[in-house]
């Protein structure tokens, strides 16, 4: 059996380092907002060539707190891609803002810059872009649109740790870069965790206050805040994992190359372009008979996933929140996409086996 993902196997090479860190934090007697969080924030800032990192409790909270720090008037509009994971949209809803969905490009699966401006109204205040599957969005036109319309730009980097656009890592193009360290992400913790990159010191301070009950000084509360702190233990584990992130990304890129070179042309493969350094959080292909293909692979001992089976506009939770509109490109992606095994725990031999079986479909 070839798993889609195996978190024990993925983390096994780091067990010894984790155990040492666990013991350090345990013995420090300091379990919330201590030296481990401070140290990881500094390391993550350096890794991304950023100005500030604020550790938070999850990826959802990273986007939610970024939007909260902007202080938009209730009912303001925020543009989001129509094929994202629901968390991106929930962060907008939790801030009492209105998500406005814009279709992706069928080539890159990322928000189509050419379709953004037709959705901008006098109420639009921000764009939350998503670097889906580990490929950066097309940043030049997006940055230009944000400048022209005076919009805040938030990058959902939950799938793009270490991915680059024209040599710059995702997360520092906008006002905020929001990261998830959910265990399956390229930089995954051993539980829930997240972080925000922010190059503006004043906005960074606002986010930092919001994550800890709106307080700078203990028991003095300046604003209505949240409890969304990065856990001290998770931060210690993340410091270990961060030193291996480039190695993890390289491994995934190497497996992706096997798929790209050897899968036959019945499968629509991800596009490759020299401006983009892709980290393949997900390696997806598209096929008309996706469900049949998935069943066939399972019969042959290969597990796959679908990201995502139901589009946001078809989710019951978002009924009455998202405008009733057709999103044909998203629907096409949701109907045909299939995610293949591409974990740090997979060997080249396993991927070659997946390719061999797929080419006989
Ligand atoms: C995983 C993910 C999130 C949410 O992260 P959590 O840490 O689970 O809250 C948000 N956006 C995208 C695109 C994701 O893949």
């Amino acid at each position: 059996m070839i798993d889609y993902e195996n978190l024990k196997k993925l983390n096994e090479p780091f067990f010894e380092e984790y155990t040492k860190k666990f013991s350090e934090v345990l013995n420090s007697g300091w379990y919330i907002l201590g030296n481990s969080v401070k140290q990881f924030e500094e390391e993550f800032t350096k890794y991304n060539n950023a100005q500030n990192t604020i550790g938070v409790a999850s990826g959802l909270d990273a986007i939610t707190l970024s939007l909260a720090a902007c202080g938009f008037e209730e009912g303001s509009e925020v543009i989001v891609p129509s094929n994202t994971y629901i968390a991106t949209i929930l962060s907008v809803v939790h801030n009492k803002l209105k998500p406005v969905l814009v279709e992706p490009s069928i080539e890159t699966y990322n928000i189509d810059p050419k379709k953004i401006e037709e959705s901008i109204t006098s109420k639009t205040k921000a764009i939350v872009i998503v670097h889906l599957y580990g490929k950066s969005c097309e940043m030049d036109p997006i940055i230009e649109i944000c400048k022209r319309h005076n919009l805040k730009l938030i990058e959902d980097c939950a799938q793009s740790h270490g991915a680059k656009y024209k040599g710059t890592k995702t997360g520092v193009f906008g006002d905020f870069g929001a990261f998830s360290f959910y265990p399956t992400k390229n930089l995954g913790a051993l539980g829930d965790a997240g972080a925000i990159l922010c190059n503006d010191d004043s906005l960074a301070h606002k986010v930092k206050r919001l994550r800890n009950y709106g307080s700078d000084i203990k028991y003095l509360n300046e604003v209505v805040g949240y409890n969304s702190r990065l856990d001290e233990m998770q931060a210690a584990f993340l410091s270990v994992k961060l030193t291996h992130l480039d190695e993890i990304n390289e491994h995934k890129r190497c497996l992706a190359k096997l798929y790209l070179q050897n899968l036959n042309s019945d499968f629509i493969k991800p596009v490759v372009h020299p401006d983009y350094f892709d980290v393949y959080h997900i390696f997806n292909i598209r096929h008309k008979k996706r469900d049949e293909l998935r069943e066939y692979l399972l019969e042959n001992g290969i597990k796959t996933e679908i990201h995502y089976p139901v589009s946001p506009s078809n989710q019951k939770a978002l009924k009455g929140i998202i405008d009733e509109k057709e999103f044909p490109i998203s629907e096409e992606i949701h109907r045909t996409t299939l995610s293949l095994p591409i974990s740090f725990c997979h060997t080249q031999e396993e991927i070659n086996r997946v390719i061999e079986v797929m080419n006989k479909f």
Side-chain angles (χ1 to χ4, degrees), residues 58-60 63 84-85 87-88 130 132 156 158-159 180 182 185 192-193 308:
S58 71
L60 171 64
I63 321 169
T84 185
Y85 179 58
T88 322
V130 182
L132 205 67
D156 179 341
Q159 305 190 1
S180 163
Y182 186 80
K185 311 289 184 182
D192 276 311
Y308 297 92

Side-chain angles (χ1 to χ4, degrees), residues 286-316:
R286 288 193 299 118
H287 195 280
K288 265 204 205 71
K289 296 184 177 165
R290 188 265 317 271
D291 293 336
E292 243 176 84
L293 171 64
R294 189 174 190 210
E295 196 52 41
Y296 160 82
L297 289 171
L298 191 61
E299 280 161 17
N300 284 278
I302 296 161
K303 289 188 184 167
T304 56
E305 284 287 343
I306 297 171
H307 299 95
Y308 297 92
V310 178
S311 66
S313 64
N314 286 318
Q315 296 285 3
K316 193 174 158 201

